[in-house]
Amino acid sequence: MKRLLLLSLALLLLTGGRAWSYGSSDKGTSGAAFLKIGPGARPAAMGEAYAAVEGDAQAVYYNPAGLAAVPGWDLTGMHNQYFQGLSYEFAAAAAPVSRLIGAEPQRDLGVAALGVTSLSAGEMDRRGLTDAGGPTGTFGATDMAFSAAYARRFDGKLSLGGALKFIHQSLDDKSASAVAVDLGAHYRLDPRWSLGGGLRHAGSSPKLGSVADPLPMTVFLGGAFQPREDLLFALDLGFPRDRDVLYGVGAEYVRKLTESARGAFRMGYSARSADAEGLGGLTMGMGLGYKSFDFDFAWVPMGDLGSTFRYSFRLRY
């Protein structure tokens, strides 16, 4: 098992180590920027500090190794009313492979998951070099990513996972496609402490028209501390190829309302939106749950661009 862990870490360093050498000198040089938007209202309210949080279908984006702790069917969906009329959607489903193939439940065959992300700008006016004569028509822009992931826990503490992504972008009559992989590891130190890390968006460069920009590859590390069942703290560090080091911190408090109902309050800080004026960087949210269903809300201010509101649901069975 130690050899497997060392091999996994070596693979991560070999494929993602180059991301550590990038920084502010490469700002604005990545394509498929929609991949930088983290899905889910719960992670967003916690400053997107989610690399070490496991057992959630949203791990298909944040750290595929976290899928290994999903005990049964886990379905989630999100709508994000982004600024400037942009609309961002996300959906994911995860389930143990033993359930999918009808094997005995006690057999640990890992967890499989599918995810889809979409960012749409809707219809926009087409104009010439000047505004004389008004618009000559309309055009649209859509970005999409489809993910297939698998994760498995090996010794009760270490989990490894990966995701294969197909990315498609369209702008007016032009389109581009790319393939990428995500790799992740999760290690539970004890019932309260856990660590997560990996690599996101490593793959080919989509070529939209005559321009091919590399994907926003990012090495990430995170930790989570849960001193008791109703309280969670998390911290993430991100090392993207196209900007300086990013960090996010978040906290969650869950209170039992009745025997079957619960409420949650979350807040955090994300350096990803800290450049915005006003309350940029601050994140907050709430959640309500009843039995196996959860509804979550997050508020993420973006300065002069306005506030973004994310709404998520999660169903487990």
Side-chain angles (χ1 to χ4, degrees):
M1 182 53 62
K2 289 183 178 179
R3 293 180 62 185
L4 179 61
L5 177 58
L6 291 174
L7 179 61
S8 302
L9 292 175
L11 179 62
L12 172 61
L13 292 175
L14 286 173
T15 57
R18 189 165 179 250
W20 294 69
S21 65
Y22 289 110
S24 58
S25 62
D26 292 281
K27 283 185 177 180
T29 62
S30 292
F34 78 103
L35 295 174
K36 301 178 183 180
I37 305 173
R42 183 190 181 203
M46 295 175 61
E48 296 188 14
Y50 221 66
V53 179
E54 60 177 349
D56 187 333
Q58 294 168 132
V60 72
Y61 174 88
Y62 290 97
N63 183 356
L67 294 168
V70 172
W73 276 101
D74 196 312
L75 309 176
T76 186
M78 184 204 73
H79 169 70
N80 178 3
Q81 192 56 52
Y82 224 47
F83 52 80
Q84 301 298 315
L86 296 175
S87 181
Y88 179 84
E89 319 293 338
F90 170 78
V97 174
S98 59
R99 279 203 177 189
L100 296 176
I101 65 175
E104 297 178 358
Q106 59 268 28
R107 292 184 61 189
D108 185 4
L109 302 177
V111 175
L114 296 174
V116 59
T117 301
S118 172
L119 178 68
S120 175
E123 294 293 323
M124 295 175 284
D125 290 337
R126 185 196 307 276
R127 297 181 181 273
L129 297 178
T130 68
D131 288 336
T136 59
T138 61
F139 69 97
T142 302
D143 297 330
M144 298 193 73
F146 303 89
S147 301
Y150 174 79
R152 187 169 182 180
R153 179 168 288 168
F154 289 91
D155 61 358
K157 293 185 176 181
L158 173 66
S159 300
L160 299 176
L164 178 66
K165 292 190 293 193
F166 174 75
I167 301 158
H168 182 77
Q169 297 180 276
S170 64
L171 175 63
D172 197 8
D173 59 348
K174 298 180 176 61
S175 63
S177 298
V179 177
V181 296
D182 295 344
L183 301 173
H186 184 280
Y187 190 80
R188 181 164 288 279
L189 299 171
D190 60 38
R192 298 184 303 168
W193 292 92
S194 59
L195 301 173
L199 176 70
R200 296 190 193 112
H201 321 315
S204 58
S205 300
K207 187 175 182 180
L208 196 60
S210 60
V211 179
D213 293 318
L215 297 176
M217 185 174 68
T218 301
V219 172
F220 64 90
L221 299 170
F225 174 57
Q226 191 167 17
R228 59 193 200 207
E229 188 176 353
D230 61 351
L231 193 59
L232 173 66
F233 300 96
L235 166 68
D236 271 24
L237 294 175
F239 304 87
R241 68 164 303 279
D242 59 353
R243 62 179 297 178
D244 296 327
V245 176
L246 296 173
Y247 66 91
V249 294
E252 175 185 65
Y253 172 67
V254 180
R255 182 175 179 83
K256 193 172 183 179
L257 303 177
T258 68
E259 189 64 30
S260 302
R262 59 197 171 275
F265 175 75
R266 308 176 182 104
M267 67 181 305
Y269 184 87
S270 173
R272 186 176 299 279
S273 56
D275 293 338
E277 296 181 358
L279 298 175
L282 177 68
T283 61
M284 296 181 67
M286 301 180 69
L288 289 174
Y290 181 76
K291 294 186 178 180
S292 60
F293 180 81
D294 292 284
F295 175 80
D296 298 309
F297 164 80
W299 170 63
V300 182
M302 302 292 290
D304 292 338
L305 294 174
S307 295
T308 65
F309 301 94
R310 309 186 190 194
Y311 310 89
S312 292
F313 77 87
R314 183 185 179 197
L315 178 63
R316 292 157 288 167
Y317 62 93

